[in-house]
Amino acid sequence: MKAPSLAKIEGVYSVAPETADSWRDAHGKAPFVRGPYEKMYQQKPWTIRQYAGFEGALETNAFFKRALSQGQTGLSVAFDLPTHLGFDSDHDLAAADVGRTGVAIDSVEDMAVLFDGIDLGNVSVSMTMNGAVLPIMACFIVAAEEQGVAPDKLSGTIQNDILKEYIARNTYIHSPDFSMGVVSDVVAYCSAHMPRFNSMSISGYHFQEAGASPELELALTMANARAYLTHFQQQGIDLEFVAKRLSFFFGLGMSFYKEVAKLRAARFLWSELLDEFSIRSENAKRLKMHCQTSGVSLTESSPLNNIVRTTIEAMAGVFGGTQSLHTNSYDEAISLPSDQASKVALETQFILQHETGIGDVVDPWGGSYMMESATQSMIEYVRTMQKNIETEGGVLALVASGQLTTFIHRQALQTAMDEEALNKKIVGKNCYQSPTSSPQHQRVIASDKTLLQQSKKLAQLKLKRDDGAVKRALQALQAAARSKQNLMPFTIDAIRVRATVGECIKALTDEASRYLKPEYIESAPFCTHLDADIVKRYQTLSSQLDRPLRFLIAKVGLDGHDRGAKVIVSLLRDLGIEVDYLPIFASIDDIIQQDAMCPYDGIGLSILSGAHIHFITQITQKIRTDCPIFVGGVIPTSDKNTLEKIGVEVVFTAKHSLNDIAISLYDTLVVATKI
Ligand code: SCA
Ligand code: 5AD
């Protein structure tokens, strides 16, 4: 499938702007190009909703309370990877990742601590949860109930967007088929019992982070939105009623005009889509969105420059009319946000709201020929992509075959090549470089301590509870899955009697097993962008060896951010190396076994979750001593020395160019192959 080309946005326009007259339209009226509300931020400023979570519920609760006392207006929970994938903290596969990239929640007891002293009837809470959505929603509902807040008083959002997990984010558990049933169970339950709660946050953000352009991000998000509506309709769900509580989530990258245009176009397209489904409610047609500034646009070098990037991106969100906003912290290319960096990110929003006046005007770009053309080009692009997707069999078929993932992957490869060729300049990364200055403070996650605490709490919970009641509730949940009933009430019953998140998911995976999606890696002509000399040296090395070099690349643990790993696979293959790429979620034992079958010339591990020391210690203890190990990912400079001492040859991070990587690998391989 081919993507259409976007009519040029910055420069000469080829698309006659159908929306050029939109400036005459009223704000807050369908098709909402000019904003979802009449008075927008003059009536209510956007919600300042910083996504956060780390270690245990106690630590994250303290962070939330501090943020609220500093003026944040909504909450947004980041869960750790074991929680996302439905493993309790004491599960073998969870050990490395507990509390690292989010908060560890094993049961309703943890959820209660997470919101201790926070009135859930008053503060709206977003939860980024997709795979383990049933037990996490159930924990939230039961914790609120035990706090004295009934479901119908709860406001907030559950992400509950599984399609984008298969396409880009990778925290899915079951097959797409089973998971779509879970999505509709949550939507149906919320619409019946939680009228103030947004039952989905249909997300594009992760597509852009994985490599998609803003227009591809929008096209895939709208295609998914259509697929969900169609699915709900087939399930007999009343769209007129549920569509009001389907919200959206977009990324904000550095293509300033495109980002503003994207948000305007999104509102138009949603309104048009609901017309197609004959939905009349004006409120449903009003697309409401959360936006987050881009993580991938941030550089490791000169981290304070990231404050500038985040501010520009956030401004695009405000000009585009977002309802809720997360601004990233300047140190995110290095670690989870430190307290200092989180404070700057939060205060960036205060400055935008209180000092600049940019929110005083509704849709300030409306009527600009450039912006109307850009909005129109976005709309045209999405319509064409939609037709292409349908011709190829529709979203669900393309999700299952992995083709939408490949689409994004291709754009990531192109971006990597553009950066290498300096067609895309990134200050401090590929031009205007200066010596790397690490931020003064970095958040260090006490993962081992969190694991111990969580394991202790789980043991206590299991001693206290009525095991018979738990067993009966889990059996009922499993039977409900078999007979295709709405699983939400059964999960709530199980969580109420203190079943754990992991136990609920285990009951479901016994019925609908864990799933691994197919993975394809495209080739790309990287060598044309590298120094000719290095390309030649690889060729010479392999002719001296009289065989191709062989490499293994793997992601270990529960971290599914595979953009970087896949770029490296393509790069190495283009250098003539034979590369095996293991399916995500590999264990160190998987790698050892793979290497034992036919030893590799080198093994590269990609780790973005902060668990690098854990995994590298394990692999260096188990692997044969003459195997060079490389690591890539989000690795603080302070850990680089430790990793090299443990036995890693080279540590690669976001600041390395592909040429640097090719040279460093070569130098090590020459020594290792004893040529
Ligand atoms: C708002 N209201 C107005 C108004 N503005 N009424 C009149 N005039 C105006 N100008 C009303 C609304 O209709 C609504 O009322 C109420 O005020 C609350 O406003 P809101 O705009 O709905 O704001 P909010 O409650 O903040 O909700 C925003 C949104 C919601 C709808 C987008 O879904 C949301 O908060 N989403 C956040 C998602 C999020 O944080 N995701 C994090 C993902 P009613 O309620 O009566 O209608 S992080 C992630 O995935 C990271 C990546 C990773 O991989 O981990
Ligand atoms: N706390 C704060 N921000 C987080 N992000 C991811 N996890 C967390 C967390 N636990 C942010 C980063 C990343 C984006 C996907 O979300 O900015 O780039």
Side-chain angles (χ1 to χ4, degrees):
M1 186 171 72
K2 278 188 99 169
S5 61
L6 187 71
K8 208 166 180 343
I9 284 190
E10 296 114 18
V12 183
Y13 309 105
S14 54
V15 176
E18 221 180 83
T19 59
D21 270 354
S22 85
W23 64 274
R24 293 179 208 280
D25 293 349
H27 305 290
K29 292 245 166 0
F32 301 106
V33 176
R34 299 229 56 200
Y37 296 107
E38 190 191 342
K39 298 215 167 74
M40 281 299 291
Y41 306 133
Q42 294 168 38
Q43 173 106 8
K44 181 190 169 294
W46 67 87
T47 308
I48 301 176
R49 193 184 295 284
Q50 298 294 84
Y51 178 59
F54 59 93
E55 300 181 353
L58 202 63
E59 290 78 11
T60 300
N61 171 269
F63 188 91
F64 281 172
K65 281 184 180 153
R66 202 163 51 242
L68 289 171
S69 74
Q70 284 168 350
Q72 183 169 306
T73 48
L75 291 177
S76 174
V77 188
F79 295 95
D80 72 357
L81 289 164
T83 308
H84 272 293
L85 290 162
F87 295 116
D88 285 339
S89 300
D90 59 0
H91 193 287
D92 282 353
L93 294 175
D97 290 304
V98 175
R100 273 201 197 280
T101 57
V103 60
I105 299 293
D106 290 323
S107 73
V108 63
E109 308 265 318
D110 289 335
M111 196 65 101
V113 174
L114 186 66
F115 294 111
D116 182 49
I118 297 170
D119 179 2
L120 291 174
N122 207 17
V123 180
S124 69
V125 176
S126 160
M127 291 183 290
T128 295
M129 180 48 70
N130 305 276
V133 64
L134 287 165
I136 286 299
M137 265 305 272
C139 285
F140 182 71
I141 291 166
V142 176
E145 187 182 279
E146 293 178 3
Q147 207 189 68
V149 184
D152 64 339
K153 299 285 179 304
L154 289 168
S155 61
T157 303
I158 182 79
Q159 196 163 78
N160 193 30
D161 171 9
I162 203 68
L163 289 173
K164 64 93 175 53
E165 296 295 330
Y166 299 107
I167 300 172
R169 189 166 175 267
N170 287 334
T171 57
Y172 54 83
I173 296 177
H174 312 277
S175 68
D177 221 26
F178 184 84
S179 299
M180 284 298 275
V182 171
V183 169
S184 52
D185 284 356
V186 174
V187 166
Y189 186 89
C190 287
S191 81
H193 303 281
M194 301 167 77
R196 299 177 62 200
F197 209 81
N198 299 295
S199 58
M200 293 188 85
S201 180
I202 306 171
S203 306
Y205 181 86
H206 316 87
F207 301 142
Q208 197 173 149
E209 289 289 290
S213 61
E215 58 273 22
L216 182 60
E217 173 196 350
L218 181 62
L220 295 180
T221 312
M222 298 320 292
N224 284 353
R226 180 189 294 266
Y228 286 125
L229 289 177
T230 309
H231 175 74
F232 298 153
Q233 207 169 40
Q234 286 161 355
Q235 303 287 306
I237 293 176
D238 179 0
L239 291 186
E240 190 76 40
F241 199 58
V242 302
K244 280 185 256 185
R245 286 297 178 193
L246 303 180
S247 72
F248 285 78
F249 172 33
F250 295 106
L252 298 167
M254 286 297 279
S255 302
F256 184 79
Y257 295 129
K258 271 194 190 181
E259 293 297 3
V260 180
K262 181 180 80 187
L263 305 186
R264 302 176 89 236
R267 283 190 294 269
F268 180 93
L269 288 159
W270 177 240
S271 177
E272 182 178 71
L273 182 60
L274 291 199
D275 281 339
E276 252 184 71
F277 279 83
S278 308
I279 291 169
R280 287 179 307 278
S281 155
E282 203 53 12
N283 198 12
K285 285 189 203 167
R286 173 183 292 120
L287 180 148
K288 283 156 285 187
M289 65 174 85
H290 171 75
C291 287
Q292 176 165 346
T293 60
S294 152
V296 281
S297 71
L298 306 184
T299 58
E300 186 182 341
S301 46
S302 306
L304 293 181
N305 289 348
N306 292 329
I307 300 172
V308 179
R309 295 190 175 97
T310 296
T311 308
I312 292 168
E313 292 167 350
M315 283 172 65
V318 176
F319 285 143
T322 191
Q323 279 53 74
S324 168
L325 180 64
H326 168 108
T327 32
N328 280 6
S329 297
Y330 62 77
D331 56 359
E332 287 188 22
I334 296 146
S335 61
L336 271 202
S338 62
D339 284 343
Q340 289 74 8
S342 305
K343 186 165 176 288
V344 174
L346 181 62
E347 289 172 3
T348 301
Q349 295 208 38
F350 298 151
I351 293 171
L352 291 176
Q353 281 195 347
H354 301 295
E355 294 185 24
T356 64
I358 65 170
D360 292 350
V361 180
V362 188
D363 187 35
W365 286 94
S368 143
Y369 190 82
M370 175 278 296
M371 186 53 70
E372 298 300 353
S373 301
T375 307
Q376 187 63 35
S377 329
M378 285 275 169
I379 293 170
E380 295 302 338
Y381 178 97
V382 173
R383 284 174 177 158
T384 311
M385 271 299 279
Q386 183 60 42
K387 277 194 206 119
N388 294 352
I389 288 173
E390 270 159 31
T391 312
E392 299 283 329
V395 163
L396 289 173
L398 295 176
V399 162
S401 67
Q403 284 182 79
L404 296 180
T405 311
T406 304
F407 227 90
I408 297 174
H409 169 53
R410 269 186 221 140
Q411 291 201 342
L413 293 176
Q414 189 57 51
T415 302
M417 288 190 288
D418 286 346
E419 286 185 13
E420 200 65 25
L422 280 180
N423 291 335
K424 185 175 165 59
K425 291 194 173 130
I426 312 286
V427 172
K429 184 175 178 192
N430 61 5
C431 59
Y432 304 104
Q433 284 113 325
S434 52
T436 301
S437 49
S438 292
Q440 273 184 316
H441 308 275
Q442 271 170 34
R443 184 176 298 287
V444 178
I445 300 292
S447 179
D448 291 346
K449 190 183 106 202
T450 312
L451 171 58
L452 266 174
Q453 273 170 2
Q454 291 301 117
S455 305
K456 218 161 108 190
K457 280 198 279 175
L458 277 164
Q460 281 164 356
L461 178 95
K462 287 178 185 173
L463 275 179
K464 268 191 325 199
R465 68 187 189 180
D466 173 351
D467 276 340
V470 172
K471 201 168 162 204
R472 283 192 297 281
L474 291 173
Q475 277 168 350
L477 174 61
Q478 208 170 57
R482 206 171 308 137
S483 55
K484 301 207 179 332
Q485 297 181 65
N486 189 318
L487 299 175
M488 220 32 254
F490 294 93
T491 319
I492 293 173
D493 288 346
I495 288 291
R496 193 177 280 123
V497 294
R498 271 48 187 171
T500 66
V501 170
E503 286 170 333
C504 292
I505 293 297
K506 172 84 175 47
L508 296 174
T509 49
D510 284 350
E511 204 50 49
S513 57
R514 284 192 181 266
Y515 172 85
L516 208 52
K517 73 178 193 189
E519 206 63 77
Y520 305 101
I521 301 193
E522 296 277 296
S523 55
F526 277 105
C527 287
T528 51
H529 304 295
L530 305 180
D531 291 349
D533 186 43
I534 186 70
V535 177
K536 215 156 143 219
R537 275 192 273 162
Y538 272 96
Q539 286 163 353
T540 315
L541 181 58
S542 120
S543 20
Q544 282 167 331
L545 286 170
D546 199 24
R547 64 167 175 85
L549 287 157
R550 292 185 65 252
F551 229 85
L552 178 71
I553 299 284
K555 290 212 53 82
V556 278
L558 303 181
D559 162 32
H561 290 99
D562 56 3
R563 174 183 180 156
K566 285 157 85 179
V567 167
I568 296 299
V569 173
S570 297
L571 167 75
L572 299 188
R573 285 185 181 158
D574 205 47
L575 281 164
I577 302 178
E578 273 183 8
V579 188
D580 288 333
Y581 179 63
L582 283 188
I584 52 171
F585 310 140
S587 70
I588 294 300
D589 287 339
D590 293 337
I591 292 169
I592 306 290
Q593 267 174 28
Q594 186 77 21
D595 180 68
M597 286 193 291
C598 182
Y600 292 96
D601 294 304
I603 295 181
L605 302 186
S606 159
I607 308 167
L608 279 78
S609 60
H612 39 273
I613 298 202
H614 176 102
F615 286 119
I616 296 302
T617 308
Q618 273 192 12
I619 194 165
T620 48
Q621 281 167 0
K622 291 185 172 178
I623 195 99
R624 64 198 157 83
T625 49
D626 57 346
C627 178
I629 304 289
F630 303 87
V631 186
V634 178
I635 314 243
T637 322
S638 50
D639 287 350
K640 199 172 159 262
N641 289 347
T642 316
L643 290 175
E644 283 168 0
K645 265 192 215 132
I646 304 175
V648 168
E649 295 293 336
V650 195
V651 175
F652 298 114
T653 58
K655 70 170 184 236
H656 289 95
S657 71
L658 299 177
N659 207 57
D660 291 344
I661 295 175
I663 293 172
S664 299
L665 280 181
Y666 175 83
D667 292 343
T668 311
L669 291 174
V670 167
V671 178
T673 51
K674 301 186 180 76
I675 288 290

